[in-house]
Amino acid sequence: KRSWGGGGGGGADGTAASNSNSPAYKKWLDKVKSIGIKENGVGLFSAHQMGTCKMGVSREAGAVRPTGETWEIDNLFVSDTSVFPTPSGVNPMVTLAGVSYGISQHIKRATARMMTKTSSRVTMQSKL
């Protein structure tokens, strides 16, 4: 019979908590079962926060422009997984690298424009 229970981390005796022979693991598993959590009854997962600052073609569609710049504040860019339209369901590393590269190109162009307009001063102006 295969026992369940995820959880990394070490046990009190220095062994991995997921080692089914570990006293610390057995104690933890007994506690989980005693509070009524059944096998496959609770989703245990790693979360990548995504989609909290969506990229969109208008203010109504997202918090940032397709360039990564916020609609509300000029020259404020977001370049992480929060610009995704929704969580991808998989590790976002490669997609994020592409999105961040694209946004970085927009930042370079915006910085060059600001440098010529403001004589080497970078400004942020709220549109609120």
Side-chain angles (χ1 to χ4, degrees), residues 13-102:
D13 60 358
T15 61
S18 60
N19 177 349
S20 62
N21 294 321
S22 164
Y25 173 75
K26 288 180 179 182
K27 181 178 178 182
W28 174 82
L29 189 57
D30 288 342
K31 183 174 182 177
V32 168
K33 288 178 180 178
S34 74
I35 59 174
I37 298 176
K38 295 183 170 53
E39 185 171 353
N40 296 321
V42 176
L44 301 175
F45 55 89
S46 172
H48 296 277
Q49 302 305 315
M50 297 180 228
T52 57
C53 193
K54 293 180 183 183
M55 184 182 287
V57 296
S58 68
R59 289 176 184 268
E60 295 74 29
V64 299
R65 296 176 173 100
T67 61
E69 186 176 13
T70 63
W71 291 101
E72 288 81 19
I73 300 176
D74 287 335
N75 307 317
L76 175 62
F77 290 83
V78 179
S79 182
D80 64 8
T81 59
S82 64
V83 303
F84 287 13
T86 187
S88 63
V90 296
N91 187 311
M93 183 182 74
V94 174
T95 304
L96 177 59
V99 169
S100 294
Y101 177 79

